[in-house]
Amino acid sequence: MDLSYGDEYEALRGELRQFLTRSWPLQGEEAKLGFPEQAALFRKRATEAGYLNRSIPKRYGGSEQPADVLTAQVIREEFGRAKAPGEARGIGTMMLVPTLLERGEEWQKEKWIPGSISGEITWCQGYSEPGSGSDLASLKTRGELVGDEWVINGQKIWTSGAQRADFMFCLTRTEPDAPKHAGISYLLIDMKQPGVDVRPLKQMTGGATFNEVFLNDVRAPADWIVGKRGEGWIVSRTTLKHERNSIGAATQTSVIFTALVRLAQRVEKNGAPAIRDPVVRQRLATLEGYVRAHQYSGYYQLTRDSKGESAGLIPLMNKLIGTTISQEAGKIGYDLVGEDALLAAGERTLGLMPKGNQGWVAQFMSSLGGSIAGGTANIQRNIIAERGLGLPRDAAADRSAGK
Amino acid sequence: MNFDLSEEQLLLQETVGQFVANECPPTRLRELFDADDGFDSVLWKGMIELGLGGITLPDEFGGAGLEMLDLAVVSEVLGHACAPGPFVPHSLAGLAIALGGSDEQKQRWLPRLASGETLGTVAICESGDRWQLEEWALAADGTLTGEKLHVPFASNADLLVVGVAGGGLVLVERDSTGVSVEEIDGADRTRRLFRVTFDGASCEPLPEGVAAAPRLRDAGLVLLAADAFGAARRLVDMSVEYAQTREQFGVTIGHFQALKHQLANMAVEVEPCRGLYWYAAHAFDHVAEEAERSAALAKSHITDRAMQVARDAVEAHGGIGFTWECDVQIWFKRVMFDRAFLGAPAFHRERAAQLAGW
């Protein structure tokens, strides 16, 4: 058992620190550019140095380095420490790029990957519909091939970032007579065209990070399809194989826990710092048990990944565990803010610590999103039970093409 | 970065696992659980022959010279199998002497403990839930007079390591004059408990006992956490197996989503816990400043999670789960022991809070 990374990786860490000291923040004239331009410039240099976009071939703008989870982890740590921009984040790099790499045509990769990883092209995901949530394959948005164009009609919902997105990757029913899963195609749609109507959805927290998107006679060229007609469901599952990085999620939860301890030290209960209260101490220490277990599971998964071995059930559980911790932190924080528990939610930027008492009101509410977004907690439990524990698959679910 | 067990540790787990599967199958386990005398000398002798008597004891005294993590991974396997016997108290007795004994005491006792010639145990708890070294009131003034509760396998042990007022440790030979033992009606019949009464019994202090006692506590917390983790994993497996065989409404009950979710929740409570005890064991030998707190968190978190999973396992088994004949009750009580021995989870959480400076 060794929680250090070893000499080879410490040498890499040294190199990274030198590179980052030289390269970020930008100097002179470049420092006067806006942040997005600065970030794009820096990402390009970091990619040329081999530190970013390592899994992407050079011909698509990546650095094409051998896969090594420990190298990737050390890079993330050092970029984080230097507060330097990492790889462009968002649904495009998380889902569309890996999907194109695995299933896209050569021209599609050349056209979309370089801009997506540099952050110049942004994407939104057209999956959920008002009537199709957990039962996604029941989706109804229609795509008809008219001449050499797809004509798309329907409504997507919970679409994060749709206001800003240049393109949408969209699950569309193109084969209405085929069985449920076999009638779907994976189409790419230009968002900047007539017929695309984006309406923000105001959340219970008061913020609006996602939208409804109405598609009325929206057009896409016939070859803006990934995979063949009717293969959209299978194509969309491609990215699910790429399990999320577990350490990242565990780091998030320990950041929230640290913030929670600070809150308990700051606020008072019965005339003393709340952290002196026996009940508060028990709740914090109980939560810390979960936070640490999650963190160590992340190290374990990383170790196993680096040896090309399975970490068993852990990868299937990360989302549910992270959600549980985030919600419990929200509940404890909410109980600590005293009469401010009557206030409206403050701003809560994802990935940042809750700010002020109203930030904790926001955490109390927004942590609920974790058990809904990206596969509900109950769907996660199905996955753990079926794929992890080997229990029978749900008889109610129609999985004609969903394997 | 290597947060995983070594090849040797995995092999050790496999060897011990095979041994207990062969020597203590469920039929034998049930027999022992119900027997008047719960000490299986054949099973214990086998464990000794595997080298489990002195895993962490120094080589020069016949031990294997290994670390707390090696000891803890064995404890996990024994918890998984619910193997009856004095592995934890015997290991702790040896550790106490290795950490706090004089050269002469080490020479005299450690080889015998490692070879199994002497069976050791620890006498820690006093009436009033006083498990902690700060709370010990039994005075050692050349001799001992008073009592200790919940001493595992005291009637079979040859040597007792006893916690005394002032936080030190003394050695008492069980067959010496003024020592009497009486079995307590313990729940976990895989680890029999005794009341030990001292009436002017002669005792021999460990010179470094005051320094060794907190280490002994931390080691105990880690071993109980590991045992509970093993037991909890087994309880999840037993519940999953049952769901795959029991039929109602014409299908195995594992088809029903309500039960699937319950089983998934149980697994989610248990699976991530291994790192907590691994790290606490690792810190015991390598990260002095985190050892105490990590042990407290591992014991409190894992034994609480395991206890709830044991309760869930009874429910998942339905009516049969509520009976004495169902094996779930044996593991349930194993976890009761792990949770209560050396102090309840809430107590160790409060210690963790203090140690964090909260």
Side-chain angles (χ1 to χ4, degrees), chain B residues 148-170:
Chain B
K148 284 281 183 181
L149 295 178
H150 307 315
V151 182
F153 292 103
S155 72
N156 310 97
D158 307 296
L159 181 67
L160 280 63
V161 175
V162 183
V164 294
L169 301 168
V170 301

Side-chain angles (χ1 to χ4, degrees), chain A residues 50-57 63-68 71-72 75 87:
Chain A
Y51 300 138
L52 294 184
N53 301 308
R54 297 166 40 80
S55 61
I56 316 271
S63 60
E64 201 171 339
Q65 299 292 314
D68 180 354
T71 297
I75 291 170
E87 290 173 7

Side-chain angles (χ1 to χ4, degrees), chain A residues 2 4 288 304 381-382 386, chain B residues 1-2 4 261 265 293:
Chain A
D2 179 8
S4 73
E288 189 179 358
R304 285 289 172 122
R381 291 185 184 100
N382 284 352
E386 293 170 7
Chain B
M1 165 77 63
N2 180 16
D4 199 355
H261 285 192
N265 286 340
R293 190 160 188 272

Side-chain angles (χ1 to χ4, degrees), chain A residues 1-5 276 281-282 286 288-290 292 296-297 303-304 307 378 381-382 386 390 392, chain B residues 1-4 244 254-255 257 260-261 265 267 269 272 275 279 282 293 301 305 346 349-350 354 358:
Chain A
M1 183 148 303
D2 179 8
L3 291 182
S4 73
Y5 290 90
R276 297 273 166 211
R281 293 160 79 79
Q282 285 294 318
T286 303
E288 189 179 358
Y290 283 102
R292 286 217 184 192
Y296 298 136
S297 298
T303 304
R304 285 289 172 122
K307 293 192 277 193
N378 280 339
R381 291 185 184 100
N382 284 352
E386 293 170 7
Chain B
M1 165 77 63
N2 180 16
F3 195 80
D4 199 355
Q244 285 167 327
H255 281 88
Q257 203 173 37
K260 279 158 75 173
H261 285 192
N265 286 340
E269 289 283 281
Y279 187 77
H282 171 73
R293 190 160 188 272
H301 188 80
R305 301 286 78 75
R349 273 192 209 102
E350 174 53 34
Q354 286 170 20
W358 292 351

